[in-house]
Amino acid sequence: MSANQVALAYLVASVLFILALKGLSSPVSARRGNMFGIAGMAIAVITTLLITKSWTLMIAGIVVGGTIGAVVARRVQMTQMPELVAAMHSLVGMAAVLIAIAVVHNPAGFGIPDPLPRGNKLELFIGTFVGAITFSGSIIAFGKLAGLGKHFRLFSSAPVVFKGQHWVNLALAVVMIVFGLLFFFAGQDGQWHPFLIMTAIAFVLGILIIIPIGGADMPVVISMLNSYSGWAAAGIGFSLNNTMLIIAGSLVGSSGAILSYIMCKAMNRSFFSVILGGFGAAEGAAAADGQQKSVRSGSAEDAAFLMANAESVIIVPGYGLAVARAQHAVKEMAQTLIEKGVQVRYAIHPVAGRMPGHMNVLLAEAEVPYDQVFEMEDINSEFGTTDVALILGANDVVNPAAKTPGSPIFGMPILEAFKARTVIVNKRSMAAGYAGLDNELFYMEKTMMVFGDAKKVVEDIVKALA
Amino acid sequence: MTGHIDPTLIDLTVFVLAVFVGYHVIWNVTPALHTPLMSVTNAISSVIIVGAILAAGAEVADFGAIIGGVAVGLAAVNVFGGFLVTQRMLQMFKKKAAPKEAKREG
């Protein structure tokens, strides 16, 4: 195959990747889009196989890796998607680092002049350090999301902070750049050691920047790491002079960046305050303010009665629903209500759950038709004319305190469930949510609390409705 | 104007254009599909497997080739896992009509 034929094949693959992402504009075109992505990947891989000499190691890698990937994809539960995505990002990061090491080891094997030109060195530096940070940062994110905190302290979902943390990180970053410069200016003999040390520091930095971030800020963190994995791929693309890698990497990098932005807007927090672990520290202070105000509490049967006699119900799912694996029970409850002539809709806040779009997938898995599921902007105006708002495991996203200047969450867009005629809230207890704030919604006259595990409570409601 | 254009500048051109394309395409993704977006972008970024294949494909199975092989394995997990889990999720998204008809027939 000639270089031009390869370039053409890579161009076709790149276009197919773009089409794959375009397909995600609606569930109808999305499945076809995924097929385009698969086709693009097939073309890219087969073309590359045709231009390499020895296939043994590759086939071994593809078979082993592919089997693991396929098995995991089949078996993973939708409630585990956040940790799966985090784990997968780490693999891309490590792959980028390994490829960069291979390039520095033997540039000629990739058609790059030896000794390495300065331009390539810069690109390798970027590809490696972004890849290394993505790898170790994603491992920490995985641990936090999978709740492995009890096994290993760094995986705790509470922020892990220590004094002078930011200075340590800054110092390490500077040292890493110094070694990067040593690598950049070194001759052929002196470049190996600075390169490896720089990479090692980058791994450590990845751990340090993620550990101070708390569990509920994970949607931003995973999106950020998603973005980094893309830039790592693009960096390798520059090093290898491969436009397809640059295009694919840039698409992914932009995607992660946009998702991070959307998540930050939805929490009304700046990206930097999330990354620097700002919120976690305030948690203790605010929670201590809890005066003994009273709430109206009721049973599942009371909730069932209220909803059965309503004309319209909006369900607000939150992380609590995911944890309790209650999505199927909720679908059953909704189905029963619909059969009784009640209009049932779902309201999704952008940061509900632990990753963007998490609630939507959980509901889809429970076979909730997606035309009953609405995003915040589309459904907020409907709460005023709705009889019952049922809050399942969501907290800060429905807290009217966000409308009060001076509140820590002021300015955060919320689902205006407080405007419904009646509000039913299901939680396990009165413990504060992530923001450590009391939720004013719970104390309103029209609100009834139903305490208990989401799945149990919803199943009880279903029984009561029958 | 002297000399040929450095390939890096062509790469840079492609990069800039790709970022613009990415910006527009991603903003058009419906929020309901943000999770499949993350899994499919993961799979797409694993096209880095191409670089790994080039490393692993050296004639002599030296250090570079072996780590290339490992990188191929890692990227392959994402390629297969990413597209398959995306497909699995996308199959779950159904509109009202389908389940209702199934119930009537069942």
Side-chain angles (χ1 to χ4, degrees):
Chain A
M1 257 191 132
S2 79
N4 286 340
Q5 286 170 323
V6 170
L8 270 172
Y10 284 169
L11 177 59
V12 172
S14 305
V15 170
L16 286 169
F17 291 148
I18 295 175
L19 290 177
L21 295 179
K22 277 196 66 133
L24 288 171
S25 57
S26 91
V28 179
S29 53
R31 262 176 278 176
R32 194 185 61 211
N34 199 36
M35 288 300 147
F36 284 148
I38 294 175
M41 184 61 75
I43 292 177
V45 171
I46 292 173
T47 307
T48 318
L49 283 176
L50 289 177
I51 57 173
T52 50
K53 304 176 184 82
S54 157
W55 286 16
T56 349
L57 282 168
M58 277 179 288
I59 300 295
I62 292 177
V63 168
V64 172
T67 315
I68 296 175
V71 167
V72 170
R74 290 238 140 266
R75 295 246 209 100
V76 74
Q77 303 214 14
M78 288 299 115
T79 43
Q80 296 171 308
M81 277 308 294
E83 42 268 41
L84 174 69
V85 169
M88 289 170 76
H89 290 150
S90 71
L91 299 181
V92 178
M94 182 52 93
V97 171
L98 291 177
I99 294 170
I101 294 178
V103 171
V104 175
H105 179 252
N106 177 21
F110 295 86
I112 297 171
D114 195 357
L116 285 171
R118 294 262 174 91
N120 289 81
K121 283 200 196 179
L122 175 63
E123 295 149 1
L124 285 167
F125 169 60
I126 294 175
T128 310
F129 96 74
V130 175
I133 291 181
T134 305
F135 171 74
S136 47
S138 296
I139 298 278
I140 299 293
F142 168 78
K144 282 181 185 266
L145 289 163
L148 297 177
K150 34 186 173 6
H151 300 293
F152 185 37
R153 202 192 153 217
L154 290 180
F155 286 160
S156 140
S157 65
V160 175
V161 290
F162 55 87
K163 267 182 109 167
Q165 190 169 22
H166 297 313
W167 293 114
V168 170
N169 291 353
L170 189 59
L172 271 179
V174 169
V175 171
M176 183 186 78
I177 292 178
V178 165
F179 277 102
L181 287 169
L182 283 174
F183 166 63
F184 189 68
F185 289 114
Q188 209 175 350
D189 296 323
Q191 67 185 15
W192 203 215
H193 285 135
F195 183 73
L196 289 178
I197 296 177
M198 173 198 91
T199 309
I201 297 178
F203 279 123
V204 173
L205 260 179
I207 297 178
L208 291 178
I209 60 178
I210 304 295
I211 55 178
I213 302 177
D217 281 337
M218 278 298 137
V220 178
V221 171
I222 325 182
S223 308
M224 179 186 86
L225 291 168
N226 185 349
S227 186
Y228 285 7
S229 67
W231 303 127
I236 297 296
F238 270 98
S239 315
L240 299 181
N241 229 311
N242 187 320
T243 49
M244 176 181 66
L245 284 182
I246 293 174
I247 292 173
S250 306
L251 289 173
V252 175
S254 312
S255 177
I258 288 174
L259 287 176
S260 302
Y261 169 77
I262 293 176
M263 292 297 107
C264 285
K265 281 292 295 280
M267 294 193 293
N268 195 42
R269 296 178 58 202
S270 86
F271 184 70
F272 288 111
S273 88
V274 172
I275 297 309
L276 298 179
F279 225 156
E283 205 176 331
D289 193 30
Q291 309 138 297
Q292 279 309 319
K293 290 183 277 188
S294 61
V295 290
R296 261 180 71 201
S297 96
S299 66
E301 289 75 30
D302 297 326
F305 178 76
L306 279 169
M307 290 195 288
N309 289 306
E311 273 185 29
S312 54
V313 170
I314 294 183
I315 302 175
V316 179
Y319 185 55
L321 186 125
V323 167
R325 308 252 172 95
Q327 65 267 38
H328 300 275
V330 172
K331 165 23 159 74
E332 236 200 291
M333 175 187 75
Q335 194 62 32
T336 318
L337 286 170
I338 293 172
E339 280 161 13
K340 288 185 188 279
V342 181
Q343 181 201 39
V344 177
R345 288 175 292 184
Y346 299 79
I348 311 289
H349 188 278
V351 290
R354 285 284 177 274
M355 73 184 289
H358 197 194
M359 288 296 126
N360 302 76
V361 166
L362 292 176
L363 291 176
E365 181 191 33
E367 293 181 38
V368 171
Y370 64 81
D371 50 1
Q372 289 175 7
V373 181
F374 296 86
E375 296 301 309
M376 183 173 67
E377 305 92 51
D378 300 327
I379 199 155
N380 249 350
S381 51
E382 301 285 308
F383 278 108
T385 50
T386 301
D387 292 320
V388 178
L390 173 64
I391 319 291
L392 292 173
N395 192 336
D396 295 322
V397 301
V398 289
N399 190 345
K403 303 241 170 207
T404 320
S407 157
I409 60 170
F410 173 60
M412 171 175 149
I414 54 158
L415 285 169
E416 300 186 335
F418 66 90
K419 289 190 176 165
R421 295 198 187 96
T422 311
V423 178
I424 305 174
V425 179
N426 165 248
K427 286 179 97 249
R428 273 177 294 178
S429 70
M430 278 304 284
Y434 181 67
L437 283 182
D438 242 354
N439 192 330
E440 293 172 9
L441 183 69
F442 301 164
Y443 303 102
M444 293 171 83
E445 275 291 318
K446 55 168 135 177
T447 302
M448 178 177 84
M449 309 289 293
V450 180
F451 293 108
D453 169 77
K455 186 159 184 245
K456 177 106 195 355
V457 166
V458 173
E459 283 169 350
D460 288 344
I461 294 178
V462 173
K463 284 193 211 124
L465 283 173
Chain B
M1 177 168 132
T2 55
H4 299 284
I5 301 179
D6 189 331
T8 308
L9 280 172
I10 298 186
D11 289 346
L12 191 61
T13 307
V14 170
F15 174 71
V16 169
L17 290 175
V19 170
F20 270 102
V21 170
Y23 179 86
H24 284 283
V25 169
I26 302 303
W27 271 114
N28 269 320
V29 172
T30 175
L33 294 179
H34 276 166
T35 299
L37 173 66
M38 292 197 90
S39 57
V40 87
T41 47
N42 215 302
I44 289 175
S45 67
S46 307
V47 77
I48 207 173
I49 198 176
V50 155
I53 291 175
L54 288 172
E59 275 180 62
V60 184
D62 65 347
F63 169 70
I66 295 178
I67 60 173
V70 173
V72 169
L74 296 177
V77 174
N78 275 10
V79 166
F80 282 83
F83 283 119
L84 283 174
V85 87
T86 305
Q87 189 178 6
R88 198 179 135 201
M89 280 192 278
L90 292 176
Q91 276 165 350
M92 295 176 188
F93 282 82
K94 296 196 178 73
K95 273 195 139 163
K96 204 183 283 187
K100 243 191 176 160
E101 274 156 20
K103 277 205 150 148
R104 267 192 230 124
E105 287 169 294

